[in-house]
Amino acid sequence: MHFVRATAFAEDASKIRTGHGPENMATLRNLAINTLRQHGHHSIAAGLRHTF
């Protein structure tokens, strides 16, 4: 899961570093990934391009 978050969402470049922000953003990214997978997208990057 981390590899997908790091590549599709550029998580490693995130400026959110304090408090619960990083954990909250990871949760939201996981939610987005799982929602795309539930809707039949095997490629998260392609699913994001289709959605946005």
Side-chain angles (χ1 to χ4, degrees):
M1 183 77 70
H2 175 74
F3 177 76
V4 174
R5 286 194 325 250
T7 56
F9 292 102
E11 185 176 56
D12 295 337
S14 176
K15 303 270 182 184
I16 300 169
R17 305 232 191 278
T18 60
H20 293 287
E23 296 168 16
N24 293 337
M25 290 305 298
T27 300
L28 291 173
R29 290 177 182 119
N30 287 340
L31 176 67
I33 291 167
N34 290 326
T35 301
L36 288 170
R37 286 183 176 157
Q38 284 179 343
H39 285 91
H41 294 283
H42 297 288
S43 169
I44 301 305
L48 289 171
R49 284 191 300 269
H50 176 76
T51 303
F52 296 105

